[in-house]
Amino acid sequence: MQSLRRALADARNHLEAGGIDDAGLEAEVLLRHALDVSRPVLYIHLDDTLSTDAASRFETYIERRLAREPAAYITGHREFYNLDLAVTPATLIPRPDTETLVDVAIELAKGLQSEMREMLTIADIGTGSGAIAIALATALPRARIIATDSSPEALQVAEANARHHGVVDSIEFRLGDLLQPLTEPVDLIVANLPYVATDDYLALEPEVRDYEPRSALDGGPDGLDVIRRLLAMAPQRLSEHGAIALEFGAGQTVPLETLASKLFPAARTRIHTDLAGRPRVISIRLT
Ligand code: GLN
């Protein structure tokens, strides 16, 4: 019989020896999951004995983590924009980088809302776990949101997350490729599409490459295949005063600006940096 403190220390050493970063934090997250307790409760009970059942669950989680499965898939949860979201291997695990995209989208939406009399319609394309759509629905209660994905499994996760956060009535979930499910013009298109170049994708850490959906990450030879397809479809689907906000990766600023100025010569285009100071989001405003 072991105390929680001892089990935690052993697991941390085990993960560290297995080359897992942030071993202490990861061990704690997995122990909390095995016990189904919050952080403060865990810390109050560190000298209690770990039950046999919890010990065997914890051991399984540590083995899975050592096999490089991301902790978010083991616990089934990830925090994003202050929201606790369910995630499954059908969905990308939301990244902190994408909070920048949400901030940019909220700013664009507020600007558009102040100019419009009708309700604002926003489309989150490739919604995955629903992270962006749900964050926007929470911040913009007067907007109507359409969330699309080409994966029915992802849409189910997104819808369950929206229900959990009380915004399921503000979001319509539609299955299909990129903008194809949009039958009406929308005012704002927001998307975190796959943008990793295939060679970079193949060199990603095993947590990402071997567990997260490739269709959410691999953007073809230069990473921009899917973004190019979306931008080519956008002129037909955007309302007259519409705007687009897209997340992108390293080295893509110039090709994206070039593409945007070709497709939307009269638009105002801006690049926004993430919390680490890297160019991360492009916004394109038609007016
Ligand atoms: N930033 C993500 C990465 O880790 C990429 C997400 C995407 O392609 N949309 O690797």
Side-chain angles (χ1 to χ4, degrees):
M1 285 294 190
Q2 263 190 332
S3 68
L4 306 193
R5 190 187 302 279
R6 183 62 201 274
L8 199 55
D10 287 354
R12 187 194 56 223
N13 291 337
H14 209 149
L15 290 176
E16 224 160 52
I20 305 290
D21 290 343
D22 296 324
L25 186 64
E26 299 264 312
E28 183 198 302
V29 165
L30 296 176
L31 181 58
R32 280 177 38 206
H33 184 56
L35 295 166
D36 193 20
V37 297
S38 66
R39 188 159 212 230
V41 170
L42 175 69
Y43 276 85
I44 291 168
H45 293 280
L46 274 181
D47 293 310
D48 292 7
T49 302
L50 185 61
S51 73
T52 323
D53 280 0
S56 96
R57 283 195 295 272
F58 188 38
E59 196 180 322
T60 313
Y61 300 155
I62 295 295
E63 288 307 322
R64 286 168 65 181
R65 189 67 194 86
L66 283 168
R68 298 291 176 148
E69 184 172 349
Y73 289 151
I74 302 173
T75 64
H77 290 268
R78 174 50 51 93
E79 181 111 347
F80 176 80
Y81 221 81
N82 268 321
L83 301 162
D84 172 45
L85 296 172
V87 294
T88 78
T91 68
L92 193 74
I93 299 166
R95 317 280 204 257
D97 305 344
T98 305
E99 298 191 348
T100 301
L101 177 62
V102 172
D103 288 336
V104 169
I106 291 172
E107 209 182 296
L108 286 170
K110 288 192 169 156
L112 288 168
Q113 258 171 350
S114 68
E115 293 163 16
M116 285 172 48
R117 266 180 295 135
E118 312 94 83
M119 201 176 196
L120 185 76
T121 303
I122 304 174
D124 171 25
I125 306 301
T127 195
S129 64
I132 297 168
I134 295 165
L136 293 179
T138 309
L140 303 161
R142 289 190 297 121
R144 169 170 173 261
I145 297 172
I146 302 166
T148 78
D149 208 283
S150 55
S151 154
E153 293 82 16
L155 280 185
Q156 275 176 15
V157 175
E159 192 166 347
N161 278 324
R163 185 160 288 119
H164 178 75
H165 288 289
V167 292
V168 76
D169 294 334
S170 327
I171 308 176
E172 229 184 282
F173 295 92
R174 296 189 196 168
L175 182 67
D177 177 53
L178 297 179
L179 307 186
Q180 176 256 314
L182 303 181
T183 45
E184 64 278 74
V186 299
D187 304 302
L188 175 58
I189 292 173
V190 184
N192 175 20
L193 297 171
Y195 56 72
V196 180
T198 303
D199 285 349
D200 296 339
Y201 169 80
L202 295 171
L204 285 173
E205 62 261 46
E207 279 84 349
V208 180
R209 190 195 55 215
D210 298 343
Y211 288 92
E212 298 202 78
R214 181 168 185 164
S215 58
L217 290 157
D218 184 354
D222 67 350
L224 291 171
D225 279 4
V226 187
I227 289 181
R228 264 192 295 269
R229 281 207 301 119
L230 178 134
L231 286 176
M233 295 164 105
Q236 285 95 56
R237 299 297 208 283
L238 268 186
S239 69
E240 191 187 345
H241 306 286
I244 305 174
L246 303 175
E247 184 172 318
F248 65 89
Q252 295 175 336
T253 304
V254 173
L256 271 178
E257 282 178 329
T258 310
L259 193 60
S261 67
K262 220 181 274 169
L263 286 166
F264 307 96
R268 286 179 283 172
T269 296
R270 263 186 68 194
I271 300 294
H272 311 257
T273 51
D274 65 17
L275 290 173
R278 295 168 298 213
R280 179 61 66 196
V281 172
I282 182 166
S283 62
I284 303 167
R285 300 179 53 178
L286 294 190
T287 55

